[in-house]
Amino acid sequence: MEIKTVSVIGAGQMGNGIAHVFALAGYQVRLYDISREALDAGMAAIGKNLDRAIARSLVTEEDKARTLGNLSPVSTLQECGDVDLVIEAATEREAIKQAIFEDLLPHLRKNTILTSNTSSISITRLASRTDRPEQFMGLHFMNPVPVMQLVELIRGIATDEDTFRAVEDVVAKIGKTSSTAEDFPAFIVNRILMPMINEAIYTLYEGVGNVKSIDTSMKLGANHPMGPLELADFIGLDTCLAIMNVLHDGLADTKYRPCPLLTKYVEAGWLGRKSQRGFYDYRGDEPVPTR
């Protein structure tokens, strides 16, 4: 099937980025969030990101106008069903994702493909709670979506070939590169990345180095563009913890045990950039390490 219309569920950092790249590529996109405030903020973020791309001569003013014309903010899940492709990009909590799909089911076309942008949760298990496991798969974008080129494609145990090929084709049409991952906890990128971040937090927790020395060491010693603690703040410490818990629970290996310091930061509500404090304090002109 040819995909022409898309609904994105969730207007946060990932959802508005996904809506941005699809609308820029010419797809008709409906963007939904349960919070009107989040929906308005998501649409505003798309406009700002397009302006940033114009300043860098990556797109034109005409591209911006066309992209915004392809976007429709919607306030009910019912409005999201009459499309070719649904991309769920809600909070990384399985119960929330399951509830969204269950509420969507009565409003879907028979041939609508369902996908989740989950970074770690079982696609097979999510698909089993719908009426179309054959038309369900993982479509995991990297953050920030307009900039990052990779998209992980994850088949559930029941995903059929037509669904996989249709989604693979649409990823190519929006100018991204796909990699295929098996449906195991955290897939490829986060299976490798999150334990590294978790180990950096253990390094901080055990006093081997402070925030600045750990990040500087990895940037200059391993040529990483961001230090692991800076990156954790960018991703969101709650998301990092959720993924580590999925790895720990799903693979039953102690090497995936979340660092107690990561748990403590999340309990404090210090979630990184989005809450203005994490391993860095972002409330001033320059980020300041909190340890």
Side-chain angles (χ1 to χ4, degrees):
M1 64 174 289
E2 185 180 1
I3 293 169
K4 295 181 179 178
T5 53
V6 180
S7 285
V8 179
I9 312 298
Q13 192 172 35
M14 295 303 297
N16 72 60
I18 294 167
H20 172 153
V21 298
F22 271 90
L24 181 62
Y27 291 89
Q28 295 297 311
V29 181
R30 302 174 193 184
L31 180 61
Y32 166 82
D33 200 286
I34 195 169
S35 160
R36 184 72 216 189
E37 185 180 73
L39 185 58
D40 291 343
M43 291 296 294
I46 293 170
K48 289 177 184 175
N49 288 332
L50 286 166
D51 287 338
R52 200 171 289 127
I54 290 168
R56 297 173 59 196
S57 300
L58 299 174
V59 301
T60 64
E61 289 284 356
E62 291 75 17
D63 292 328
K64 177 183 176 181
R66 181 173 49 80
T67 299
L68 295 177
N70 288 336
L71 279 164
S72 302
V74 298
S75 56
T76 66
L77 275 178
Q78 184 174 352
E79 297 170 271
C80 297
D82 187 24
V83 293
D84 301 319
L85 173 67
V86 172
I87 305 169
E88 171 274 314
T91 303
E92 190 69 357
R93 288 173 54 192
E94 188 166 348
I96 290 174
K97 294 177 184 295
Q98 287 177 346
I100 288 169
F101 288 122
E102 287 171 4
D103 289 346
L104 261 176
L105 291 181
H107 311 298
L108 297 174
R109 295 177 186 170
K110 189 175 181 180
N111 65 341
T112 298
I113 292 173
L114 295 177
T115 66
S116 176
N117 183 57
T118 178
S119 52
S120 61
I121 297 168
S122 168
I123 297 302
T124 297
R125 196 162 61 240
L126 287 174
S128 72
R129 299 292 293 271
T130 74
D131 63 353
R132 60 194 69 203
E134 298 84 5
Q135 293 163 230
F136 192 112
M137 62 181 288
L139 184 60
H140 179 216
F141 288 81
M142 306 296 123
N143 186 27
V145 179
V147 175
M148 301 295 279
Q149 289 302 301
L150 184 73
V151 182
E152 286 182 315
L153 302 180
I154 307 101
R155 300 177 194 250
I157 196 170
T159 306
D160 66 26
E161 189 66 18
D162 288 344
T163 296
F164 180 83
R165 294 301 172 200
V167 174
E168 183 181 48
D169 182 58
V170 86
V171 168
K173 286 180 177 176
I174 62 172
K176 302 293 187 187
T177 299
S178 61
S179 67
T180 304
E182 293 300 317
D183 187 21
F184 289 98
F187 319 128
I188 294 172
V189 172
N190 283 319
R191 173 74 176 265
I192 297 167
L193 175 64
M194 284 302 160
M196 184 200 76
I197 287 175
N198 195 52
E199 192 63 27
I201 300 169
Y202 266 114
T203 305
L204 178 65
Y205 176 61
E206 294 169 3
V208 179
N210 60 28
V211 168
K212 184 177 179 181
S213 64
I214 292 167
D215 277 352
T216 300
S217 294
M218 293 306 293
K219 283 192 283 188
L220 301 183
N223 205 27
H224 290 189
M226 256 188 207
L229 302 175
E230 182 186 4
L231 179 57
D233 275 358
F234 181 75
I235 293 167
L237 303 191
D238 52 340
T239 300
C240 294
L241 179 59
I243 295 170
M244 287 309 302
N245 280 327
V246 167
L247 280 165
H248 191 229
D249 295 344
L251 298 172
D253 192 323
T254 55
K255 72 180 180 181
Y256 298 115
R257 182 172 70 97
C259 179
L261 184 60
L262 174 59
T263 302
K264 188 66 69 180
Y265 268 66
V266 172
E267 288 174 345
W270 290 21
L271 308 180
R273 284 183 175 271
K274 61 186 173 185
S275 67
Q276 295 296 297
R277 278 191 291 185
F279 293 113
Y280 292 85
D281 188 326
Y282 299 92
R283 293 174 296 175
D285 294 335
E286 294 290 332
V288 177
T290 55
R291 280 182 178 253

